């Protein structure tokens, strides 16, 4: 399909055409647009797009179609076609690089790594940006309902990142093919919500439009009868009008039979060739068809003579390289007419032709086609070989979903090919190990663990000890990502096969260090990481050294220091002290990891190291430096051309740091510009988005973001640890929305699921929100609220008392915040919060400072010091005005109401006494000791002593007796 082709009649789609043309005009003014053209088979989608392409004001047009066998292994099929067209039409040389994965002839294909897919997506986007200027580009993707997963992923990436690039993406979708489990059923609504995206639905033609179509075709008939017979479907209208039988006679039983009436008048040799073409699907390359036809004794001249009537009757449409059936339904109808023997013979001829792999064919596409035809004729060995070639092509194309699918298809064929191991030259277990790795990258950790387990079942350790060790290590890594403790058992088993001098031992030790760290066994994890670093350096395994260095940095980056005990006395924990030298050593370690990763091309590890460096500096209360580290990682992604696909982690780190520094407007602006998507990485953006909606009181948007996270990351295929930030986001939402019991239940659920409050499991800086929840439950004071508060208090106190890990400066603040919220004595709480506030303010930690001011305010009220509470409120209000967060405004209002309720006018009490001091004076007048006063007022004896000192000074008394006497003079007791 191209603008230069002659077009048939165009009826009844004027509004839709005008809409597409207006979208193209908007593109020309500097704004990318997407139009989803949706309708049932035969409704006129292709015809509308043809007319649009012939009239579009954009300078360039290009078309790519999804193949009917797209989900069977030909990854990126429509985009490969689009890129090849654009390369052919470009006069200047086109640099290869990542584009060579999809366009043969552009140069050598780069080595495939885990980052290759991201780089390919960026390269395609950049190439389209270049070719769209000047004048704009109309890019058509036909038949998205047949698309492979990689095509859908790339399409979503482009839609989210084209921005102001003058590209009009027009995508056709057959709605009646979208069964309940079809991936587009979920994806289409997401695409429609994107900025610049719109949907064009094609309804059946009206009776008037059917009459117009009939008149233009030269068949004036009863329009109502024609409309009733065709259902307003333009394809069926044409078929009915082309049918020599009178319109009033009985209709064929099926649309297939109706379509075949256009084929029946054709010569016999034409019908034979159409049958050969239909076995390829709705389109076929001329050279391939000629080879297949030759197998039946049809020469080139006879083939051309047979094809001409089909083209003249518009059953086939000639393209630059082959033929396309007028409609896919017509190809299906022709194919269904073949007898079983004819089908088998035809597919065998395709197998023979494709096996020769003639000139000009693309190896990956040829292999996928060959695998399909061989499978149909039960030539399993050849299908196995072809599928393996398709595996290699998918791997080179960075087509992760198709790679996994193809590997699993090879696994199926393995079961029916007795000598599969000899054919492919690798053992069954190795194939399963590769499937495990592919599943880890794309299919989910549970699927990866299942493949590794299957590999262990079919692998003889005595024959393949190395492979056995690799499979145990692969399953251990997958199980660890699932949050399973038995991962360690797998790694120990792997160590039995991968000895200390084995080349893969550094990798095993590096993985073991990660698993031990996740289990909270820090000392063992540190030892394993140090062993991994040493052995990796000895044998030159720089990839394992980078991974081990980052684990070691994580372990050393949160050193245990002298810590306060619950009584407020300082004592040594017995662990080594933290200090500037150790903190700088960790920074140096992370910089070495960055340098090693960069030198060896480990892009993912390099970016991860920048994020780890930012996190370490954040925990050291060096927030500005942390922000610069995350920003440097973001910039590095831009330098590598992967910012829109791999920079999200650094971007989210920057958002979090900005918010914690009180620069909320900057954080929201940055978050809005971060890429969205359907990937697991992009899903974590939704948790951050939910938090920001929560802080602005946008409850519905927060809920929607959390629901989208669950949709992209279903619990049944996601590890519990992947839900950590999701749990936090939901906790904040429920707590600030006032659903405190529900928030407590969410914490308890998270604790059951991932051990949220297990000692040593997660940092105190994150758990401080649970302490705040306990405080709010106590203030609410209902029976259920108090029961939930008591349960959470017990869990938090167990965490505080039995913590097994190291505590960073940031977590020491979080620990004090938790103790402040749990403290029954308001003076103790006030002292803790005051200390936290001083450190948080000095380190620019806005989030911790707000928690400390909130806790200090309520502690001051409980202590009976409204003047201090009023001063704390004023400080809180100034921070609220700076950040302009809705939640803080509401909190400030709650604090003002609490102050009014708890603190009457100070002028009403003589000598400036506070209400709490008056309560203490009443108890002292009864002759109670400080301990007895404390029990009566639910405060400590130490707090009673402080109140006594204050009130005696205000009354001018030297002792308790004099204070009581003065109070009696004033009529206070």
């Amino acid at each position: 399909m191209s603008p230069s082709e002659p077009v048939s009649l165009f009826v009844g789609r004027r509004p839709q055409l005008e809409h597409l043309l207006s979208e193209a005009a908007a593109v020309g003014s500097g704004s990318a647009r997407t139009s989803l053209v949706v309708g049932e088979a035969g409704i006129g989608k292709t015809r509308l797009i043809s007319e649009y392409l012939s009239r579009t004001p954009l300078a360039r047009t290009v078309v790519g179609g999804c193949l009917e066998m797209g989900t069977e292994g030909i990854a990126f099929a429509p985009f490969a076609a689009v890129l090849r067209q654009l390369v052919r039409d470009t006069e200047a040389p086109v640099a290869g690089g990542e584009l060579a994965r999809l366009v043969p002839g552009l140069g050598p294909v780069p080595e495939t790594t885990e980052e290759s897919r991201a780089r390919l997506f960026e390269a395609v986007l950049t190439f389209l940006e270049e070719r769209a200027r000047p004048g704009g580009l109309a890019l058509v993707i036909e038949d998205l309902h047949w698309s492979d997963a990689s095509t859908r992923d790339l399409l979503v990436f482009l839609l989210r990142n084209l921005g102001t690039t003058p590209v009009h993406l027009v995508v056709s979708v057959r709605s009646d093919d979208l069964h309940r489990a079809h991936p587009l059923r979920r994806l289409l609504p997401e695409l429609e919500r994107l900025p610049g995206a719109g949907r064009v639905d094609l309804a059946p033609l009206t009776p008037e439009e059917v009459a117009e179509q009939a008149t233009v075709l030269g068949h004036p008939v009863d329009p109502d009868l024609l409309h009733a017979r065709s259902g307003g479907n333009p394809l069926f209208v044409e078929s009915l009008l082309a049918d020599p039988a009178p319109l009033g006679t009985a209709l064929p039983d099926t649309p297939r039979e109706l379509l075949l009436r256009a084929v029946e008048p054709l010569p016999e040799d034409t019908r034979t060739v159409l049958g050969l073409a239909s076995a390829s699907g709705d389109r076929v390359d001329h050279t391939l068809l000629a080879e297949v036809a030759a197998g039946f004794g049809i020469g080139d001249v006879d083939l051309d003579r047979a094809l001409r009537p089909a083209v003249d009757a518009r059953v086939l449409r000639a393209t630059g390289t082959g033929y396309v059936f007028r409609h896919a339904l017509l190809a299906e109808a022709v194919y269904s007419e073949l007898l079983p023997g004819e089908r088998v013979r035809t597919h065998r001829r395709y197998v023979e032709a494709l096996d020769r792999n003639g000139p000009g064919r693309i190896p990956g596409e040829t292999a996928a086609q060959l695998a399909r035809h061989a499978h149909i004729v039960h030539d399993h060995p050849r299908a196995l070989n072809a599928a393996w070639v398709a595996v290699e092509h998918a791997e080179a194309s960075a087509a992760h979903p198709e790679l996994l699918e193809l590997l699993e298809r090879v696994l199926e064929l393995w079961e029916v090919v007795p000598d599969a191991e000899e054919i492919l030259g690798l053992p069954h277990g190795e194939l399963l190990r590769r499937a495990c790795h592919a599943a880890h990258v794309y299919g989910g950790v549970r699927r990866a663990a299942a493949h590794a387990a299957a590999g262990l079942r079919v692998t003889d350790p005595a024959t393949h000890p190395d492979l056995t060790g690799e499979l145990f290590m692969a399953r251990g890594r997958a199980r660890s990502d699932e949050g399973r403790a038995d991962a360690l058992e797998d790694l120990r088993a792997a160590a039995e096969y991968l000895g200390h001098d084995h080349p893969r031992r550094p990798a095993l030790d590096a993985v073991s260090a990660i698993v031990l760290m996740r289990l909270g066994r820090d000392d063992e994890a540190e030892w394993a990481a140090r062993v991994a670093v040493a052995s990796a350096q000895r044998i030159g395994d720089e990839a394992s050294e980078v991974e081990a260095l980052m684990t070691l940095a994580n372990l050393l980056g949160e050193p245990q220091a002298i810590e306060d005990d619950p009584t407020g006395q300082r004592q040594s924990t017995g662990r080594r002290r933290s200090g500037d030298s150790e903190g700088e050593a960790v920074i140096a370690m992370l910089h070495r990891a960055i340098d090693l990763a960069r030198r060896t091309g480990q892009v993912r590890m390099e970016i991860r190291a920048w994020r780890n460096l930012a996190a370490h500096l954040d925990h050291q209360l060096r927030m500005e430096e942390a922000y610069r580290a995350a920003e440097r990682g973001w910039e590095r992604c831009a330098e590598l051309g992967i910012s829109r696909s791999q920079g999200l982690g650094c971007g989210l780190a920057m958002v979090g740091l900005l918010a914690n520094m009180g620069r909320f407007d900057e954080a929201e602006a940055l978050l809005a510009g971060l890429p969205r998507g359907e990937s697991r990485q992009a899903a974590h953006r939704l948790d951050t988005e939910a938090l920001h909606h929560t802080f602005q009181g946008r409850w519905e948007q927060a809920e929607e973001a959390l629901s989208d996270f669950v949709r992209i990351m279903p619990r049944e295929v996601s590890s519990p640890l992947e839900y950590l930030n999701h749990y936090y986001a939901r906790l904040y939402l429920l707590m600030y929305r006032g659903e405190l019991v529900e928030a407590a239940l969410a914490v308890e659920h998270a604790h059951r699921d991932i051990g949220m409050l297990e000692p040593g499991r997660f940092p105190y800086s994150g758990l401080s929100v649970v302490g705040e929840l306990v405080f709010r439950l106590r203030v609410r004071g209902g029976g259920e609220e108090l029961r939930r508060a008591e349960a959470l208090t017990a869990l938090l106190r167990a965490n505080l008392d039995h913590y097994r890990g190291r505590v960073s400066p940031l977590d020491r603040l979080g620990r004090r915040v938790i103790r402040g919220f749990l403290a029954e004595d308001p003076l103790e709480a006030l002292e803790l919060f005051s200390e936290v506030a001083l450190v948080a303010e000095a380190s620019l930690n806005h989030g911790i400072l707000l928690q400390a001011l909130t806790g200090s305010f309520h502690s001051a009220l409980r202590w009976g010091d409204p003047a201090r509470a009023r001063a704390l409120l004023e400080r809180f209000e100034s921070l609220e005005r700076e950040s302009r967060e809705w939640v803080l405004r509401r909190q400030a209002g709650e604090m003002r109401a609490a102050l009014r309720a708890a603190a009457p006018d100070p002028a009403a009490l003589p000598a400036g006494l506070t209400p709490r001091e008056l309560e203490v004076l009443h108890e002292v007048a009864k002759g109670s000791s400080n301990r007895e006063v404390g029990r009566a007022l639910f405060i400590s004896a130490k707090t009673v002593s402080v109140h006594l000192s204050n009130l005696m000074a205000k009354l001018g008394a030297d002792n308790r007796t004099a204070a009581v006497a003065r109070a009696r003079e004033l009529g206070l007791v």
Side-chain angles (χ1 to χ4, degrees), residues 67-69 146 274-285 288 316 323-335 347 350 369 372-373 376:
L67 304 180
E68 189 173 0
M69 60 177 296
W146 288 332
L274 285 174
L276 301 181
S278 70
S280 180
D282 69 329
R283 63 194 67 207
V284 65
D285 178 79
L288 177 60
L316 289 181
Y323 308 94
V324 179
F325 278 88
R326 179 172 55 132
H327 199 281
L329 289 177
L330 182 54
E332 295 169 14
V334 171
Y335 182 73
H347 285 295
Y350 272 101
Q369 291 174 317
R372 170 176 173 263
H373 291 290
I376 290 173

Side-chain angles (χ1 to χ4, degrees), residues 35 72 115 130 169 462 467 471 509 519 582 610 614 747 781 814:
S35 299
E72 295 184 8
E115 292 75 37
E130 293 170 353
L169 259 168
L467 176 57
L471 286 165
D509 288 334
L519 293 174
E582 188 169 67
W610 280 115
V747 174

Side-chain angles (χ1 to χ4, degrees), residues 97-119:
E98 297 297 332
L99 291 181
R101 299 184 188 279
L102 303 185
V103 185
L106 283 185
V109 176
E111 181 182 355
T112 302
T113 67
E114 289 184 13
E115 292 75 37
S116 297
R117 187 177 180 84
R119 292 185 183 220

Side-chain angles (χ1 to χ4, degrees), residues 105 157 284 354 414 465-466 511 554 606 628 674 676 710 768 806-807:
F157 175 81
V284 65
L354 290 165
W414 189 287
D466 289 0
V511 174
N554 283 340
E606 180 188 347
R628 287 196 294 272
L674 292 181
R676 300 172 181 269
V710 175
S768 62
R806 298 181 174 93
V807 182

Side-chain angles (χ1 to χ4, degrees), residues 376-683:
I376 290 173
V377 298
H378 304 294
D379 188 347
H380 295 136
R382 198 168 300 187
L384 179 69
N385 251 325
W388 188 248
V389 173
V391 162
E392 294 171 339
H393 177 73
E395 196 168 37
S397 301
H400 300 319
E402 288 69 34
L403 174 61
L404 176 59
E405 183 181 339
L406 285 163
L407 283 167
E408 291 177 340
R409 189 185 312 160
V410 171
L411 286 168
E412 292 175 8
L413 289 166
W414 189 287
E415 301 298 330
V416 295
V417 179
D419 54 349
E421 184 168 336
E422 289 73 22
I423 291 175
L424 298 186
L426 79 166
H428 195 184
E430 173 59 21
L431 178 61
L432 284 158
R433 188 197 65 79
R434 293 184 64 170
C436 168
H437 176 72
H440 217 142
V441 172
Y442 186 84
V445 293
R446 295 187 182 182
R447 201 164 165 188
H451 283 310
L456 288 167
R457 287 194 296 271
V458 302
T459 301
D460 180 4
T463 307
H464 299 290
D466 289 0
L467 176 57
T468 301
E470 291 273 7
L471 286 165
F472 270 121
M473 182 166 65
R475 189 173 71 174
R477 185 189 287 271
R479 284 179 168 178
S480 175
D481 288 347
E482 286 185 87
R484 293 174 55 172
D486 57 357
L488 201 54
E489 297 174 13
D490 278 339
L491 298 179
R492 286 171 179 157
E496 296 179 11
Y497 299 96
L498 307 177
H500 290 290
D501 296 326
H502 195 282
R504 292 289 289 159
R505 186 54 184 256
L508 174 60
D509 288 334
V511 174
S512 299
I514 293 173
V515 174
L516 288 163
M517 180 177 66
R518 287 174 174 172
L519 293 174
R521 298 163 64 169
D522 290 357
D523 290 338
E524 296 173 77
E526 181 181 335
W527 179 85
R530 290 189 184 279
V531 169
V533 169
S535 59
Q537 290 176 344
R538 186 177 67 253
I539 68 172
D541 183 355
E542 292 182 326
S544 296
E545 182 182 355
V546 169
E547 189 163 47
L549 279 172
M550 286 198 287
T551 301
L552 189 57
N554 283 340
L555 290 163
L556 299 180
E558 299 182 359
Q560 181 81 16
I562 300 297
E563 186 55 71
D564 292 342
D565 72 10
T567 66
Q569 303 298 316
R570 301 180 72 81
Q571 61 179 11
S572 172
T573 62
R575 288 186 177 272
R576 64 171 174 265
R577 296 175 60 93
S578 65
D580 292 341
S581 60
E582 188 169 67
E584 292 304 319
V586 170
I587 293 172
M589 197 177 294
L590 287 168
H591 276 295
R592 173 169 171 74
I594 289 168
D595 293 341
L596 276 175
R598 181 178 300 188
R599 188 168 73 232
T600 54
Q602 299 178 73
V603 175
R604 180 180 59 85
M605 298 298 281
E606 180 188 347
I607 303 308
R608 179 181 152 199
W610 280 115
R611 294 199 307 269
N612 284 4
L613 178 58
H616 170 71
L617 291 167
D618 180 25
H619 273 263
Q620 297 300 314
L621 301 179
R622 297 159 66 173
M623 298 188 70
E624 287 285 1
E625 294 177 70
Y627 179 80
R628 287 196 294 272
E631 187 177 40
R632 182 66 190 103
W634 173 272
E635 292 168 351
R636 180 66 177 143
C637 287
E639 292 169 8
L640 295 168
I642 57 171
S643 59
R644 285 168 287 203
S645 52
Q646 293 291 299
L648 186 58
C650 290
L652 290 176
M654 293 163 65
V655 169
L657 287 161
L658 286 171
N660 282 335
M661 287 189 288
R663 295 156 62 179
F664 199 80
D665 287 346
E666 293 177 66
E668 285 236 294
L670 177 57
L671 179 62
L674 292 181
R676 300 172 181 269
E678 296 290 306
S679 68
R680 301 176 79 82
Q681 184 188 34

Side-chain angles (χ1 to χ4, degrees), residues 873 876-877 888-898 900:
L873 173 58
F876 187 95
E877 288 174 327
L888 297 186
R889 287 200 300 275
R890 192 177 73 170
Q891 282 183 263
E894 293 171 350
M895 291 162 73
R896 284 190 291 269
R900 286 193 299 269

